[in-house]
Amino acid sequence: MTGLIGKRVPKLDAPKKTTGETRYLQDIELPGMLHGKILRSDRVHARIVRIDTDEAKALPGVHAVITAKDTPGVPLGHGKDNTPLKGDKVRCIRDEIAAVAAESEEIAEEALRLIRVEYEDLPAIFSPADALKEGAPVIHGKHPDNIPFRFDYAHGDVDAGKEESDIVIEDTFTLHFVTHCCMGVSGVIADFDSSGNLTLHSLTQIPFLFKKDISPVIGVPPGKIRVIQPVIGGGFGSKLDIYPFEPICVFLARAAKRPVRIVFTREEEFVASPTRQPVELTLASGVKKDGTLTFRDVRTLHDNGGYTSWGATTPFVIMQTISSLYRVPHCRYHTTVVYTNNPYSGSFRGYGNLQATFAVESHMDRLAEAVGMDPLAFRLHNAQEPGETTLQGMNFDTCGLRECLETASAKSGFLEKRRAYRSKQAGPVRRGIGIASLLHVGGGAKIYRTDGCGTILKLDDFGHATVMTGSTDIGQGSETVIAQFVAEELGIPISAINVVNNDSEITPWDVGVHASRTTFIAGNSALRAAKKAKDKLLAAAAKKADLSADGLDLRDGHVVDAATGKPIVELGKLIRSLHFTQRSDIVMTTEYYEPPSVMQDREFKGNVSASYAFGTQVVELEVDTETGIVRILKVTAAHDVGRVINQLGIEGQVEGGVVMGIGYATTEHLVVEEGVVKNPSFRDYKLVTAPETPEIDSTFIETIDPEGPAGAKGIGEAPAICISAAIVNAIHNATGVRFTELPLTPERVLRRLKEERE
Amino acid sequence: MERKIERYCVPGTVEEAVEAIAGKDATLFAGGTDLMVQTRSGKRPFTPLLVNISRIAGLGGISTDGDRVRLGALATISGIRTSALLKEKAGVLTEAADSFAGDQVRNKATVGGNICNASPAGDMIVPLLLLDAEVELASTAGRRMLPLCNFFTGPGKTRRERNELLTAIYFPIPPVGFAAGFRKFGTRPAMDISIVSVGVAATRDDAGWKNVRAAFGAVAPTPIRGTRTEAAIEKGGTAGEIARIAESEVSPISDVRASAWYRKELIRTLTERLHHDVFET
Ligand SMILES: Cc1cc2nc3c(=O)[nH]c(=O)nc-3n(C[C@H](O)[C@H](O)[C@H](O)COP(=O)(O)OP(=O)(O)OC[C@H]3O[C@@H](n4cnc5c(N)ncnc54)[C@H](O)[C@@H]3O)c2cc1C
């Protein structure tokens, strides 16, 4: 034991990133590599009449120009309703029409300008409600009603729940478009060898599913595709699907017979990478006079945009919060997903849960007020206990919701401040404090028949370990956590560990980075592989020293006597003695960890995750009632994380998530007007900057999950989920006005405050 | 993209510079913080002749010149922000420089560039209007002075001729009793384009506030003086009355950053707050 668990361990990739040594996709130059650029539609819904590429092809330096007719047109993406290049019609502003590979980016851009496209505009749809109207334009012929998906979930009997209720409230919540804003823009390099083997330098979060998904689209068998992931400059879910630019790059490489790189411009990243799912959510909730929740009845309308990526499946997560954040005996949920000519959404940290929690936790405050309870007591009254199974079938083996609520409110002085801020405040600037909680998967999510991750662990002759893991590090710090687990188990320093996590030819299978699963699933996998290696080493040492393996342990690079700590043999020496003999052997182990969760049944019920994460955040803020500026002063967060593995990493996750959540609530807005993105730049798409970042006080509730690696649960998404609800609850405390629409830009806040005053 | 720069020149003196640009459609490069963004986005392509004016001797500097203050065209926003002279004589410029961009941009951005870029939201322009600044323009024909309040003709448009170089900005050293203030409103405290900006200034004598100046940014095609607001302040109206006059005096547009309605609201609120801070305390 080196005592690494729970310590402040700097991210292993941090020195290279901060000194500029890290090589990103943009830094990789293969010999003979060309630069690819994509011509995108400037129409939102139109028939393509003619595409003329003659002039572009004639431009010196251009090696390939392709359109839909040069490609097989196999559908791609989660909904298989998109093709790499569009030949017949375009359905949204980003649509890919043609692509060029040239000797420089400038030449490729010049060539794009020489391509002439003739369109015939079609009537378009910009709001989900319009998509449902009689006689609305049809966006995909396969779905004449514009509805590609519906989701229904229920438990209990909502009508009975309404009967039992003393108070029923209903609101419609409107959630907007935002996008991931990864510092590293999207991109890929496609490189064929003369035998037709394809290497993709890809930023995907799902290297193994990526191979399978892209294979039919490009007509290359998965066995001939190698995915190498350069250092990824942020994912947040945006790289969970395949997108048209990826097969396009392959088609260009094939046509030009040269490696081709496509890297987005920042503007392109805003226009043509996925967004968070915009949702209109109507929630009715009921409560008895004693403060017991009776029912939730939810209808949502999802703007799917022109095509289907993962955004369409956010109802899986939305319904978890609707059904199981607090005890709700009766629940009904319906989502209609409709096509429009807007941009389309993908997966994004929280995956629908920001939208759901905004509604549910706004209502928790309203219901508390209606029954005359304080928001904390009301939540505690309805909070689950450890050991409960929710009516959707989730087993809360551990559940720190109660401690989260109590800790965050006590540390922030929530109740006292709330009372104080409710009384009349002088001057235009008013203070408020608000609370909200969250539930999210913390032990993976079994959406495929396996939710597993493989590890290969190899110890060299000198006691250094190489951990080959299927899981990807997209900046979240999984490399460091995995190294910690292995170092701890093998009793070697973290500097003696190398994590290989970016080459599908070497690393074993994994589902991908999503559902806050990597520490839990890949961590368990690495830990178990290390345990196997440890068992082997101790058995070998015991045999040689004629001792019992039970009395031995690994510490400080040695096999030691577990009781006294006395070194018995140095690790490298032991390994060499196994290796350099007649019956030689090396120390290499494998593990495929499969969590004990199940896929949901047809009614969306079942224990989909091996563990669940909880959290509470309290926000204290100031509202300038004359300018509408909302200034966040302090966030007090308490998260049930099972067990802290890397204190530094987990604080970073919470702080990053809180800032992302504040952006979602107050400043970030991808402005889409008539299908066109109006603010594709960091000048007008307002990320939260350092001066607006409040003090963040994080407490970690350690419930020691029995299945988690060293007791840990996932934390990746959780910190971003409940803060927008805490913010509107705090604004209500400050001003008496309740907001149901995001973002809370100064203009929107001022307008509402004035309306209320008049 | 017409990025085809045929000639690049780096003059060392004003004479060389005006010679180089005479009769040509040159692109002048000072700090480049507007220019590079505009050329890259294709909004304003380079012309064939690129002239880097940033090495011209004597074109920078912040100094007094008799009863005037001189800001060299190449004076950077950082230079203005940290100038002891300005802090003492014209703190409103220090204030404006302090709310301008962030350190990296401030180190490069010049006051001449801010003025010649002629954005309605240019943050150095409003305080310079309060100070009755004049600009000095040089060409092969010699030098001429123009009051800053007559310099702008529209967004990105000025009375500077193509063959002229802006060399300096002058303003009278404010007298004893001078008070001024500037407020920029963006949706965040740093790195933001002004949604609106407001400045007021006046000199106090026994009878009250004289020589009142009010100016507004981002509410018209150019930064503007608010003459009716000035008159109301001089007459000694209440802050609320003055703020309503200011609101009625501006005609902002709606864009992706804010609606016209919101800009008017802000002009009223900020003018009222500024009046309170500058004239009532
Ligand atoms: C991230 C960022 C943040 C910013 N924040 C702000 C802000 O808060 N407030 C604000 O007002 N602006 C801001 N700007 C805009 C810009 O920095 C300023 O307008 C700056 O003062 C421009 O000066 P420059 O020296 O960089 O000009 P340049 O880009 O070099 O030139 C601007 C224009 O003026 C012309 N020009 C420059 N000098 C002369 C001269 N001496 N004679 C004739 N013509 C000349 C150039 O040809 C060009 O057309 C920001 C820009 C960026 C990129």
Side-chain angles (χ1 to χ4, degrees), chain A residues 293 296 321-328 360-361 364 375 378-380 382-384 390 396 401 405 436-439 615-616:
Chain A
L293 290 173
R296 284 185 192 136
T321 285
I322 302 291
S323 77
S324 303
L325 175 56
Y326 309 106
R327 250 177 242 133
V328 193
V360 166
E361 282 288 347
M364 289 303 283
F378 180 66
R379 284 173 171 85
L380 287 170
N382 290 288
Q384 285 100 340
T390 78
F396 292 170
L401 178 56
L405 279 160
S437 296
L438 73 100
L439 155 70
T616 300

PDB file of all heavy atoms in Angstrom, chain A residues 293 296 321-328 360-361 364 375 378-380 382-384 390 396 401 405 436-439 615-616:
ATOM      1  N   LEU A 293     -44.909  13.745  -1.286  1.00  0.00           N
ATOM      2  CA  LEU A 293     -45.147  13.830  -2.727  1.00  0.00           C
ATOM      3  C   LEU A 293     -46.158  12.767  -3.144  1.00  0.00           C
ATOM      4  O   LEU A 293     -46.119  11.638  -2.643  1.00  0.00           O
ATOM      5  CB  LEU A 293     -43.854  13.603  -3.507  1.00  0.00           C
ATOM      6  CG  LEU A 293     -42.778  14.687  -3.431  1.00  0.00           C
ATOM      7  CD1 LEU A 293     -41.504  14.205  -4.116  1.00  0.00           C
ATOM      8  CD2 LEU A 293     -43.271  15.979  -4.076  1.00  0.00           C
ATOM      9  N   ARG A 296     -46.008  12.704 -10.179  1.00  0.00           N
ATOM     10  CA  ARG A 296     -45.452  13.596 -11.201  1.00  0.00           C
ATOM     11  C   ARG A 296     -45.996  13.144 -12.550  1.00  0.00           C
ATOM     12  O   ARG A 296     -45.981  11.958 -12.849  1.00  0.00           O
ATOM     13  CB  ARG A 296     -43.919  13.528 -11.244  1.00  0.00           C
ATOM     14  CG  ARG A 296     -43.246  14.272 -10.120  1.00  0.00           C
ATOM     15  CD  ARG A 296     -41.734  14.274 -10.284  1.00  0.00           C
ATOM     16  NE  ARG A 296     -41.122  14.746  -9.054  1.00  0.00           N
ATOM     17  CZ  ARG A 296     -40.063  14.186  -8.494  1.00  0.00           C
ATOM     18  NH1 ARG A 296     -39.460  13.152  -9.079  1.00  0.00           N
ATOM     19  NH2 ARG A 296     -39.568  14.671  -7.376  1.00  0.00           N
ATOM     20  N   THR A 321     -34.775  10.833 -13.381  1.00  0.00           N
ATOM     21  CA  THR A 321     -34.937  11.900 -12.389  1.00  0.00           C
ATOM     22  C   THR A 321     -36.412  12.132 -12.088  1.00  0.00           C
ATOM     23  O   THR A 321     -36.801  12.332 -10.938  1.00  0.00           O
ATOM     24  CB  THR A 321     -34.233  13.169 -12.902  1.00  0.00           C
ATOM     25  OG1 THR A 321     -32.829  12.965 -12.739  1.00  0.00           O
ATOM     26  CG2 THR A 321     -34.658  14.414 -12.154  1.00  0.00           C
ATOM     27  N   ILE A 322     -37.244  12.078 -13.123  1.00  0.00           N
ATOM     28  CA  ILE A 322     -38.679  12.265 -12.906  1.00  0.00           C
ATOM     29  C   ILE A 322     -39.205  11.173 -11.966  1.00  0.00           C
ATOM     30  O   ILE A 322     -39.950  11.444 -11.034  1.00  0.00           O
ATOM     31  CB  ILE A 322     -39.439  12.202 -14.265  1.00  0.00           C
ATOM     32  CG1 ILE A 322     -38.936  13.261 -15.243  1.00  0.00           C
ATOM     33  CG2 ILE A 322     -40.950  12.280 -14.041  1.00  0.00           C
ATOM     34  CD1 ILE A 322     -39.238  14.677 -14.914  1.00  0.00           C
ATOM     35  N   SER A 323     -38.777   9.927 -12.192  1.00  0.00           N
ATOM     36  CA  SER A 323     -39.349   8.815 -11.427  1.00  0.00           C
ATOM     37  C   SER A 323     -38.718   8.658 -10.050  1.00  0.00           C
ATOM     38  O   SER A 323     -39.376   8.219  -9.122  1.00  0.00           O
ATOM     39  CB  SER A 323     -39.159   7.495 -12.194  1.00  0.00           C
ATOM     40  OG  SER A 323     -37.816   7.049 -12.069  1.00  0.00           O
ATOM     41  N   SER A 324     -37.441   9.029  -9.906  1.00  0.00           N
ATOM     42  CA  SER A 324     -36.718   8.549  -8.722  1.00  0.00           C
ATOM     43  C   SER A 324     -35.905   9.584  -7.964  1.00  0.00           C
ATOM     44  O   SER A 324     -35.217   9.232  -7.018  1.00  0.00           O
ATOM     45  CB  SER A 324     -35.793   7.391  -9.122  1.00  0.00           C
ATOM     46  OG  SER A 324     -36.532   6.356  -9.732  1.00  0.00           O
ATOM     47  N   LEU A 325     -35.941  10.854  -8.339  1.00  0.00           N
ATOM     48  CA  LEU A 325     -35.312  11.863  -7.482  1.00  0.00           C
ATOM     49  C   LEU A 325     -36.364  12.212  -6.437  1.00  0.00           C
ATOM     50  O   LEU A 325     -37.364  12.868  -6.739  1.00  0.00           O
ATOM     51  CB  LEU A 325     -34.884  13.096  -8.286  1.00  0.00           C
ATOM     52  CG  LEU A 325     -34.310  14.265  -7.469  1.00  0.00           C
ATOM     53  CD1 LEU A 325     -33.118  13.839  -6.621  1.00  0.00           C
ATOM     54  CD2 LEU A 325     -33.902  15.430  -8.363  1.00  0.00           C
ATOM     55  N   TYR A 326     -36.184  11.722  -5.243  1.00  0.00           N
ATOM     56  CA  TYR A 326     -37.180  11.700  -4.158  1.00  0.00           C
ATOM     57  C   TYR A 326     -38.198  10.604  -4.453  1.00  0.00           C
ATOM     58  O   TYR A 326     -38.288  10.104  -5.576  1.00  0.00           O
ATOM     59  CB  TYR A 326     -37.872  13.053  -3.941  1.00  0.00           C
ATOM     60  CG  TYR A 326     -36.897  14.191  -3.792  1.00  0.00           C
ATOM     61  CD1 TYR A 326     -36.709  15.106  -4.828  1.00  0.00           C
ATOM     62  CD2 TYR A 326     -36.128  14.324  -2.641  1.00  0.00           C
ATOM     63  CE1 TYR A 326     -35.780  16.135  -4.713  1.00  0.00           C
ATOM     64  CE2 TYR A 326     -35.204  15.353  -2.517  1.00  0.00           C
ATOM     65  CZ  TYR A 326     -35.027  16.254  -3.561  1.00  0.00           C
ATOM     66  OH  TYR A 326     -34.120  17.260  -3.447  1.00  0.00           O
ATOM     67  N   ARG A 327     -38.945  10.253  -3.408  1.00  0.00           N
ATOM     68  CA  ARG A 327     -39.923   9.177  -3.522  1.00  0.00           C
ATOM     69  C   ARG A 327     -41.215   9.729  -4.137  1.00  0.00           C
ATOM     70  O   ARG A 327     -41.809  10.651  -3.578  1.00  0.00           O
ATOM     71  CB  ARG A 327     -40.272   8.698  -2.115  1.00  0.00           C
ATOM     72  CG  ARG A 327     -39.762   7.327  -1.798  1.00  0.00           C
ATOM     73  CD  ARG A 327     -40.105   6.977  -0.357  1.00  0.00           C
ATOM     74  NE  ARG A 327     -38.901   6.764   0.407  1.00  0.00           N
ATOM     75  CZ  ARG A 327     -38.665   7.293   1.603  1.00  0.00           C
ATOM     76  NH1 ARG A 327     -39.554   8.083   2.188  1.00  0.00           N
ATOM     77  NH2 ARG A 327     -37.545   7.037   2.221  1.00  0.00           N
ATOM     78  N   VAL A 328     -41.602   9.159  -5.261  1.00  0.00           N
ATOM     79  CA  VAL A 328     -42.846   9.592  -5.910  1.00  0.00           C
ATOM     80  C   VAL A 328     -43.678   8.357  -6.226  1.00  0.00           C
ATOM     81  O   VAL A 328     -43.302   7.577  -7.102  1.00  0.00           O
ATOM     82  CB  VAL A 328     -42.578  10.339  -7.235  1.00  0.00           C
ATOM     83  CG1 VAL A 328     -43.832  11.049  -7.709  1.00  0.00           C
ATOM     84  CG2 VAL A 328     -41.435  11.312  -7.094  1.00  0.00           C
ATOM     85  N   VAL A 360     -37.853  19.544 -11.972  1.00  0.00           N
ATOM     86  CA  VAL A 360     -38.230  18.853 -10.735  1.00  0.00           C
ATOM     87  C   VAL A 360     -37.836  19.669  -9.506  1.00  0.00           C
ATOM     88  O   VAL A 360     -38.630  19.849  -8.573  1.00  0.00           O
ATOM     89  CB  VAL A 360     -37.576  17.448 -10.692  1.00  0.00           C
ATOM     90  CG1 VAL A 360     -37.663  16.836  -9.304  1.00  0.00           C
ATOM     91  CG2 VAL A 360     -38.243  16.531 -11.712  1.00  0.00           C
ATOM     92  N   GLU A 361     -36.614  20.200  -9.500  1.00  0.00           N
ATOM     93  CA  GLU A 361     -36.169  20.921  -8.310  1.00  0.00           C
ATOM     94  C   GLU A 361     -36.776  22.326  -8.207  1.00  0.00           C
ATOM     95  O   GLU A 361     -36.829  22.895  -7.123  1.00  0.00           O
ATOM     96  CB  GLU A 361     -34.634  20.954  -8.259  1.00  0.00           C
ATOM     97  CG  GLU A 361     -34.033  19.628  -7.781  1.00  0.00           C
ATOM     98  CD  GLU A 361     -34.244  19.375  -6.283  1.00  0.00           C
ATOM     99  OE1 GLU A 361     -34.628  20.295  -5.557  1.00  0.00           O
ATOM    100  OE2 GLU A 361     -34.033  18.234  -5.836  1.00  0.00           O
ATOM    101  N   MET A 364     -39.938  21.336  -6.471  1.00  0.00           N
ATOM    102  CA  MET A 364     -39.755  20.979  -5.057  1.00  0.00           C
ATOM    103  C   MET A 364     -39.859  22.239  -4.196  1.00  0.00           C
ATOM    104  O   MET A 364     -40.463  22.219  -3.128  1.00  0.00           O
ATOM    105  CB  MET A 364     -38.407  20.285  -4.841  1.00  0.00           C
ATOM    106  CG  MET A 364     -38.318  18.872  -5.416  1.00  0.00           C
ATOM    107  SD  MET A 364     -39.564  17.707  -4.794  1.00  0.00           S
ATOM    108  CE  MET A 364     -38.893  17.327  -3.165  1.00  0.00           C
ATOM    109  N   PRO A 375     -37.699  24.496   2.336  1.00  0.00           N
ATOM    110  CA  PRO A 375     -37.289  23.625   1.218  1.00  0.00           C
ATOM    111  C   PRO A 375     -36.408  22.460   1.658  1.00  0.00           C
ATOM    112  O   PRO A 375     -36.432  21.405   1.042  1.00  0.00           O
ATOM    113  CB  PRO A 375     -36.487  24.555   0.298  1.00  0.00           C
ATOM    114  CG  PRO A 375     -36.779  25.932   0.742  1.00  0.00           C
ATOM    115  CD  PRO A 375     -37.248  25.879   2.156  1.00  0.00           C
ATOM    116  N   PHE A 378     -38.692  19.807   3.512  1.00  0.00           N
ATOM    117  CA  PHE A 378     -39.555  19.169   2.519  1.00  0.00           C
ATOM    118  C   PHE A 378     -38.780  18.118   1.724  1.00  0.00           C
ATOM    119  O   PHE A 378     -39.253  17.003   1.491  1.00  0.00           O
ATOM    120  CB  PHE A 378     -40.115  20.249   1.582  1.00  0.00           C
ATOM    121  CG  PHE A 378     -41.010  19.712   0.511  1.00  0.00           C
ATOM    122  CD1 PHE A 378     -42.232  19.128   0.828  1.00  0.00           C
ATOM    123  CD2 PHE A 378     -40.628  19.774  -0.829  1.00  0.00           C
ATOM    124  CE1 PHE A 378     -43.057  18.630  -0.169  1.00  0.00           C
ATOM    125  CE2 PHE A 378     -41.455  19.286  -1.826  1.00  0.00           C
ATOM    126  CZ  PHE A 378     -42.666  18.704  -1.495  1.00  0.00           C
ATOM    127  N   ARG A 379     -37.569  18.462   1.341  1.00  0.00           N
ATOM    128  CA  ARG A 379     -36.758  17.504   0.576  1.00  0.00           C
ATOM    129  C   ARG A 379     -36.377  16.309   1.452  1.00  0.00           C
ATOM    130  O   ARG A 379     -36.434  15.158   1.007  1.00  0.00           O
ATOM    131  CB  ARG A 379     -35.517  18.194  -0.002  1.00  0.00           C
ATOM    132  CG  ARG A 379     -35.837  19.077  -1.213  1.00  0.00           C
ATOM    133  CD  ARG A 379     -34.623  19.876  -1.656  1.00  0.00           C
ATOM    134  NE  ARG A 379     -34.832  20.559  -2.932  1.00  0.00           N
ATOM    135  CZ  ARG A 379     -35.415  21.741  -3.069  1.00  0.00           C
ATOM    136  NH1 ARG A 379     -35.882  22.385  -2.005  1.00  0.00           N
ATOM    137  NH2 ARG A 379     -35.562  22.286  -4.261  1.00  0.00           N
ATOM    138  N   LEU A 380     -35.981  16.591   2.681  1.00  0.00           N
ATOM    139  CA  LEU A 380     -35.600  15.484   3.576  1.00  0.00           C
ATOM    140  C   LEU A 380     -36.782  14.541   3.802  1.00  0.00           C
ATOM    141  O   LEU A 380     -36.619  13.324   3.859  1.00  0.00           O
ATOM    142  CB  LEU A 380     -35.096  16.039   4.915  1.00  0.00           C
ATOM    143  CG  LEU A 380     -33.705  16.683   4.864  1.00  0.00           C
ATOM    144  CD1 LEU A 380     -33.411  17.417   6.172  1.00  0.00           C
ATOM    145  CD2 LEU A 380     -32.613  15.637   4.587  1.00  0.00           C
ATOM    146  N   ASN A 382     -39.011  13.696   1.780  1.00  0.00           N
ATOM    147  CA  ASN A 382     -39.269  12.848   0.612  1.00  0.00           C
ATOM    148  C   ASN A 382     -38.037  12.101   0.097  1.00  0.00           C
ATOM    149  O   ASN A 382     -38.110  11.396  -0.907  1.00  0.00           O
ATOM    150  CB  ASN A 382     -39.855  13.693  -0.519  1.00  0.00           C
ATOM    151  CG  ASN A 382     -41.278  14.145  -0.212  1.00  0.00           C
ATOM    152  OD1 ASN A 382     -42.204  13.338  -0.238  1.00  0.00           O
ATOM    153  ND2 ASN A 382     -41.449  15.419   0.129  1.00  0.00           N
ATOM    154  N   ALA A 383     -36.907  12.273   0.789  1.00  0.00           N
ATOM    155  CA  ALA A 383     -35.651  11.672   0.299  1.00  0.00           C
ATOM    156  C   ALA A 383     -35.608  10.174   0.575  1.00  0.00           C
ATOM    157  O   ALA A 383     -36.140   9.697   1.573  1.00  0.00           O
ATOM    158  CB  ALA A 383     -34.462  12.348   0.974  1.00  0.00           C
ATOM    159  N   GLN A 384     -34.960   9.446  -0.335  1.00  0.00           N
ATOM    160  CA  GLN A 384     -34.817   7.999  -0.147  1.00  0.00           C
ATOM    161  C   GLN A 384     -33.738   7.673   0.877  1.00  0.00           C
ATOM    162  O   GLN A 384     -32.868   8.492   1.170  1.00  0.00           O
ATOM    163  CB  GLN A 384     -34.459   7.315  -1.475  1.00  0.00           C
ATOM    164  CG  GLN A 384     -35.611   7.202  -2.443  1.00  0.00           C
ATOM    165  CD  GLN A 384     -35.567   8.269  -3.525  1.00  0.00           C
ATOM    166  OE1 GLN A 384     -34.912   9.296  -3.356  1.00  0.00           O
ATOM    167  NE2 GLN A 384     -36.276   8.043  -4.610  1.00  0.00           N
ATOM    168  N   THR A 390     -36.140   1.996  -6.135  1.00  0.00           N
ATOM    169  CA  THR A 390     -37.137   2.968  -6.576  1.00  0.00           C
ATOM    170  C   THR A 390     -38.170   2.256  -7.447  1.00  0.00           C
ATOM    171  O   THR A 390     -37.956   1.135  -7.891  1.00  0.00           O
ATOM    172  CB  THR A 390     -36.517   4.116  -7.381  1.00  0.00           C
ATOM    173  OG1 THR A 390     -36.253   3.653  -8.719  1.00  0.00           O
ATOM    174  CG2 THR A 390     -35.239   4.611  -6.751  1.00  0.00           C
ATOM    175  N   PHE A 396     -30.838   1.572  -4.712  1.00  0.00           N
ATOM    176  CA  PHE A 396     -29.943   2.532  -4.053  1.00  0.00           C
ATOM    177  C   PHE A 396     -29.216   1.809  -2.914  1.00  0.00           C
ATOM    178  O   PHE A 396     -29.515   2.036  -1.741  1.00  0.00           O
ATOM    179  CB  PHE A 396     -30.730   3.736  -3.519  1.00  0.00           C
ATOM    180  CG  PHE A 396     -31.310   4.624  -4.589  1.00  0.00           C
ATOM    181  CD1 PHE A 396     -32.214   5.637  -4.244  1.00  0.00           C
ATOM    182  CD2 PHE A 396     -30.946   4.495  -5.920  1.00  0.00           C
ATOM    183  CE1 PHE A 396     -32.748   6.476  -5.214  1.00  0.00           C
ATOM    184  CE2 PHE A 396     -31.485   5.342  -6.901  1.00  0.00           C
ATOM    185  CZ  PHE A 396     -32.391   6.328  -6.547  1.00  0.00           C
ATOM    186  N   LEU A 401     -28.118  10.936  -0.188  1.00  0.00           N
ATOM    187  CA  LEU A 401     -28.909  12.144  -0.485  1.00  0.00           C
ATOM    188  C   LEU A 401     -29.175  12.966   0.778  1.00  0.00           C
ATOM    189  O   LEU A 401     -29.028  14.189   0.773  1.00  0.00           O
ATOM    190  CB  LEU A 401     -30.223  11.751  -1.172  1.00  0.00           C
ATOM    191  CG  LEU A 401     -31.195  12.875  -1.510  1.00  0.00           C
ATOM    192  CD1 LEU A 401     -30.545  13.944  -2.385  1.00  0.00           C
ATOM    193  CD2 LEU A 401     -32.439  12.327  -2.233  1.00  0.00           C
ATOM    194  N   LEU A 405     -27.955  16.798   1.462  1.00  0.00           N
ATOM    195  CA  LEU A 405     -28.872  17.904   1.774  1.00  0.00           C
ATOM    196  C   LEU A 405     -28.460  18.582   3.082  1.00  0.00           C
ATOM    197  O   LEU A 405     -28.381  19.817   3.164  1.00  0.00           O
ATOM    198  CB  LEU A 405     -30.303  17.367   1.908  1.00  0.00           C
ATOM    199  CG  LEU A 405     -31.054  17.136   0.596  1.00  0.00           C
ATOM    200  CD1 LEU A 405     -32.222  16.173   0.808  1.00  0.00           C
ATOM    201  CD2 LEU A 405     -31.555  18.462   0.027  1.00  0.00           C
ATOM    202  N   ALA A 436     -30.795  22.803  -4.461  1.00  0.00           N
ATOM    203  CA  ALA A 436     -31.334  21.780  -5.360  1.00  0.00           C
ATOM    204  C   ALA A 436     -30.458  20.538  -5.238  1.00  0.00           C
ATOM    205  O   ALA A 436     -29.285  20.633  -4.876  1.00  0.00           O
ATOM    206  CB  ALA A 436     -31.353  22.268  -6.805  1.00  0.00           C
ATOM    207  N   SER A 437     -31.053  19.393  -5.542  1.00  0.00           N
ATOM    208  CA  SER A 437     -30.325  18.124  -5.461  1.00  0.00           C
ATOM    209  C   SER A 437     -30.393  17.387  -6.788  1.00  0.00           C
ATOM    210  O   SER A 437     -31.108  17.805  -7.701  1.00  0.00           O
ATOM    211  CB  SER A 437     -30.907  17.237  -4.363  1.00  0.00           C
ATOM    212  OG  SER A 437     -30.730  17.845  -3.110  1.00  0.00           O
ATOM    213  N   LEU A 438     -29.676  16.281  -6.846  1.00  0.00           N
ATOM    214  CA  LEU A 438     -29.645  15.525  -8.098  1.00  0.00           C
ATOM    215  C   LEU A 438     -29.464  14.043  -7.820  1.00  0.00           C
ATOM    216  O   LEU A 438     -28.953  13.636  -6.775  1.00  0.00           O
ATOM    217  CB  LEU A 438     -28.483  15.999  -8.968  1.00  0.00           C
ATOM    218  CG  LEU A 438     -27.086  15.571  -8.485  1.00  0.00           C
ATOM    219  CD1 LEU A 438     -26.570  14.374  -9.266  1.00  0.00           C
ATOM    220  CD2 LEU A 438     -26.121  16.696  -8.573  1.00  0.00           C
ATOM    221  N   LEU A 439     -29.880  13.290  -8.823  1.00  0.00           N
ATOM    222  CA  LEU A 439     -29.649  11.851  -8.881  1.00  0.00           C
ATOM    223  C   LEU A 439     -29.079  11.552 -10.259  1.00  0.00           C
ATOM    224  O   LEU A 439     -29.595  12.059 -11.261  1.00  0.00           O
ATOM    225  CB  LEU A 439     -30.999  11.119  -8.715  1.00  0.00           C
ATOM    226  CG  LEU A 439     -31.102   9.709  -9.322  1.00  0.00           C
ATOM    227  CD1 LEU A 439     -30.248   8.733  -8.543  1.00  0.00           C
ATOM    228  CD2 LEU A 439     -32.558   9.244  -9.330  1.00  0.00           C
ATOM    229  N   GLY A 615     -26.294  14.367  -5.037  1.00  0.00           N
ATOM    230  CA  GLY A 615     -25.604  15.596  -4.684  1.00  0.00           C
ATOM    231  C   GLY A 615     -26.593  16.700  -4.378  1.00  0.00           C
ATOM    232  O   GLY A 615     -27.759  16.640  -4.791  1.00  0.00           O
ATOM    233  N   THR A 616     -26.116  17.670  -3.610  1.00  0.00           N
ATOM    234  CA  THR A 616     -26.911  18.862  -3.325  1.00  0.00           C
ATOM    235  C   THR A 616     -26.010  20.070  -3.513  1.00  0.00           C
ATOM    236  O   THR A 616     -24.843  20.045  -3.120  1.00  0.00           O
ATOM    237  CB  THR A 616     -27.421  18.839  -1.869  1.00  0.00           C
ATOM    238  OG1 THR A 616     -28.236  17.692  -1.683  1.00  0.00           O
ATOM    239  CG2 THR A 616     -28.223  20.093  -1.550  1.00  0.00           C
TER     240      THR A 616
END
